[in-house]
Amino acid sequence: MTSVRGDAPGATSATGERARPRIFFPELEGMRGVAAVMVMLTHIALTTGMIASDMYGAAGNPVAGPIFNTMDVSLPIFFVLSGLVLYRPFALATLTDRPPMALKPYFWRRALRILPAYWLLAVTALLVLNADAVTGLWHVLRPLLVLHVYQPNAMPTGMEQTWSLATEVAFYVTLPLLAWALRRWAVRAADPGTRARRLLVPLGALVLTGAGFAAYHHLPSMGPFPMQHLWPTEYMGYLAVGMILATLSAVAEVAPERTPAPYRFLIRHPGAAWIGAALAYATACSPLGGPNDMNYPPLGSAMVDHALYLAISLLLVAPLTLPAGRPGYMRAALSNPVLRFLGRISYGVFLWHVFYLWVYYGTTGTPLGTGNFWLVTAAVAGASVVTATLSFYLLERPAMGLRPWLGRAPVDPGAQAPSTVREQLPTGREAAQWESRSTEPAAPAVAAE
C-alpha cells in the first residue's frame, strides 16, 4: 500500500514550494485481506472436492464449485495491487520531474518485506513435508532463491502456491529498469497529462504481451500444465494493469484537469466499476466463462478466463486508487478493522494455508478430493491466521524495522526536490477532502500477500 502521511494543501516545503499531500489508500489493505481469504478458500475448495478436477477425481459442487473456482482471480488482484503500489512513486516522479526512487532502499525494502517470512515457510515445509525429497544442496537453495518454478517437478509440497511469488520477485527486480525506460520515453513531453498518456502506450502493450504469452502457454502442443505456465511472462499483463492505474492515479493527483477521460468517468461514478466487476465475476462463474473446473483449460477457454480476470481485477481495484477520496461504502467495506487486520497479516495467510492443508490431510488420513469443506476451512483458516499473526508481529514487522538502518526509501521520493513540471494541487471542496483523509502510515505492500 502507498504510505502517506501528508502535508495539507497549500503547505510550503523546505524549498519554498507548495508541498504535495501524500495520500494514504487504506482500502488497498482491506482488498489484500479479501484476496488472501479468496485464494485460501479456492485451495480448500479444490482439495475437498468442492471444485471439479481430474487430479483429485472430484465431480465438484455444481453451484458452489464455480463460485469458489473463480476466486482464483485473487492472484491477478494481488498482481494488480503490486503494479499499482510499487510503480506509483515512480509514476509521480516521472510526471513531476522529481528524482527517481533510490535503488538501494527500494531493494532492501522489498527483501525485508518478503524474504524472512518466506524463508521460514520454506525451511519448515522442507523439513516437515519434503525431508525425503531433499537429496542435495540445490534442493534447498532452489526454493530459498525462489527459483523452483523454473525447473520441472521442482515444487516442494506445501509451497505450491508460491509460484506466484516468483512472478512478484521478477517484477521487483525488473521494475526499476522498466520505470527508467518509461521515464526516458515520457519526459519527452512537457506536461503531466501528455506524459501520462505516453506512459499508457507501452504499458498497454505489456498487457497485450501478457495475453500473448497466456495464449502460447495454452496451445495444444504445450500439453497440460506446462512449466512455462507458472513463469512471470503470462502474468505481466496484470502487473501492467496495476501500473496503468498507478499512472492514472498519479496524474489525477498532480494535474486533475489533464486526467484521461475514462479515469474522470471513474472519479464521477466509482460504483460503476464494482458493478462491472460483479458482472464479469458472474460471467466467469457461468458457462460463458468456460469449464468451471481446475483442469488445464484449452486455448479458447483460457483466453476468456484471462480477459475476465483482467476485467475483474482492474474494476475491483480501480476505484480504490482515486486520490481525492473513495466513496463511503467502499471505505466501510474495506477499511473496517477486520479486513485491515486481515490485510496486515495477508502475506502470512497466503504463505501458510497450503502447508496446513497438507498437514491436515496427512494427519487425518482423509483422501485428497474429499472432506468436509467447513471443517477443513475452520482448521486450516484458524491455523493460518494464528501463524500469520505470529509471523507478522514476531518476524515480519521486526524485519521491516531494520529498514532505517539499511537506507529507508522516502514515502514519496524526492518530496523536497524542485520540480520543472507545475503540479496543480486540489482547491476548494477537493482540498477539504485532502484535509479529512487519514494520515496513518501504511504497511508496506507485498503483492504476494
Side-chain angles (χ1 to χ4, degrees):
M1 194 170 343
T2 53
S3 173
V4 305
R5 261 174 330 223
D7 307 291
T12 303
S13 71
T15 62
E17 292 185 292
R18 294 172 69 201
R20 173 163 36 82
R22 296 172 182 174
I23 312 169
F24 178 46
F25 296 91
E27 296 83 9
L28 298 183
E29 190 165 60
M31 182 59 72
R32 287 210 313 272
V34 171
V37 172
M38 289 172 66
V39 71
M40 178 171 61
L41 291 177
T42 298
H43 291 144
I44 294 173
L46 170 65
T47 312
T48 58
M50 185 76 72
I51 299 174
S53 69
D54 290 343
M55 71 175 77
Y56 295 146
N61 183 301
V63 177
I67 297 173
F68 285 115
N69 185 55
T70 307
M71 288 185 184
D72 195 36
V73 74
S74 52
L75 290 175
I77 291 171
F78 278 134
F79 293 143
V80 170
L81 289 173
S82 276
L84 163 66
V85 169
L86 296 181
Y87 182 62
R88 197 175 190 277
F90 290 102
L92 282 170
T94 297
L95 297 182
T96 60
D97 273 345
R98 298 186 185 278
M101 181 183 296
L103 294 186
K104 180 181 175 181
Y106 165 81
F107 284 117
W108 272 120
R109 288 171 69 86
R110 291 296 89 213
L112 290 171
R113 183 62 187 98
I114 68 167
L115 290 179
Y118 170 73
W119 283 340
L120 177 62
L121 167 73
V123 170
T124 304
L126 290 175
L127 290 174
V128 176
L129 300 176
N130 299 272
D132 294 339
V134 176
T135 59
L137 181 61
W138 179 237
H139 293 157
V140 176
L141 291 179
R142 185 169 52 197
L144 291 179
L145 297 175
V146 202
L147 298 175
H148 50 295
V149 303
Y150 300 108
Q151 284 186 277
N153 305 314
M155 189 71 67
T157 299
M159 296 179 61
E160 289 84 354
Q161 83 288 10
T162 61
W163 67 263
S164 63
L165 197 58
T167 294
E168 295 286 348
V169 170
F171 178 63
Y172 299 161
V173 172
T174 58
L175 177 60
L177 179 60
L178 178 59
W180 171 83
L182 291 170
R183 181 183 178 113
R184 295 267 297 183
W185 164 251
V187 296
R188 298 178 184 181
D191 66 280
T194 306
R195 288 185 179 186
R197 287 168 172 81
R198 289 178 73 88
L199 289 174
L200 294 177
V201 172
L203 291 175
L206 285 178
V207 176
L208 296 177
T209 302
F213 275 107
Y216 172 69
H217 296 157
H218 286 83
L219 291 175
S221 59
M222 297 294 290
F225 298 104
M227 175 179 59
Q228 295 86 344
H229 170 57
L230 301 181
W231 290 0
T233 47
E234 183 168 334
Y235 306 97
M236 68 171 70
Y238 301 115
L239 294 161
V241 165
M243 296 172 71
I244 288 171
L245 290 177
T247 301
L248 293 171
S249 177
V251 72
E253 177 183 344
V254 303
E257 81 295 343
R258 298 286 290 151
T259 303
Y263 201 75
R264 292 201 303 271
F265 176 86
L266 179 68
I267 293 172
R268 294 192 300 270
H269 308 286
W274 276 15
I275 294 174
L279 292 175
Y281 195 97
T283 302
C285 292
S286 75
L288 295 175
N292 271 293
D293 54 41
M294 275 291 181
N295 301 320
Y296 198 66
L299 176 60
S301 298
M303 296 317 296
V304 170
D305 283 346
H306 191 84
L308 288 172
Y309 282 15
L310 278 172
I312 294 168
S313 54
L314 166 66
L315 294 172
L316 277 179
V317 176
L320 309 182
T321 68
L322 302 178
R326 277 67 63 199
Y329 61 87
M330 291 186 181
R331 294 197 301 271
L334 296 174
S335 296
N336 61 76
V338 173
L339 281 183
R340 291 284 300 280
F341 171 74
L342 286 174
R344 194 170 299 119
I345 66 167
S346 58
Y347 185 41
V349 172
F350 166 82
L351 288 176
W352 287 97
H353 73 276
V354 173
F355 172 84
Y356 282 120
L357 265 174
W358 282 103
V359 170
Y360 176 91
Y361 276 82
T363 302
T364 62
T366 306
L368 293 172
T370 67
N372 184 293
F373 173 81
W374 301 109
L375 177 61
V376 176
T377 297
V380 171
S384 300
V385 168
V386 170
T387 305
T389 302
L390 293 173
S391 173
F392 180 79
Y393 287 103
L394 299 180
L395 179 60
E396 298 167 49
R397 193 162 71 170
M400 290 186 286
L402 298 175
R403 291 177 300 173
W405 300 94
L406 300 168
R408 177 185 291 271
V411 169
D412 182 10
Q416 304 301 328
S419 173
T420 58
V421 176
R422 183 174 180 269
E423 299 175 33
Q424 290 129 15
L425 295 168
T427 58
R429 190 174 70 176
E430 289 186 357
Q433 289 179 311
W434 284 105
E435 292 170 347
S436 64
R437 206 164 16 257
S438 168
T439 57
E440 177 186 349
V446 55
E449 292 180 28

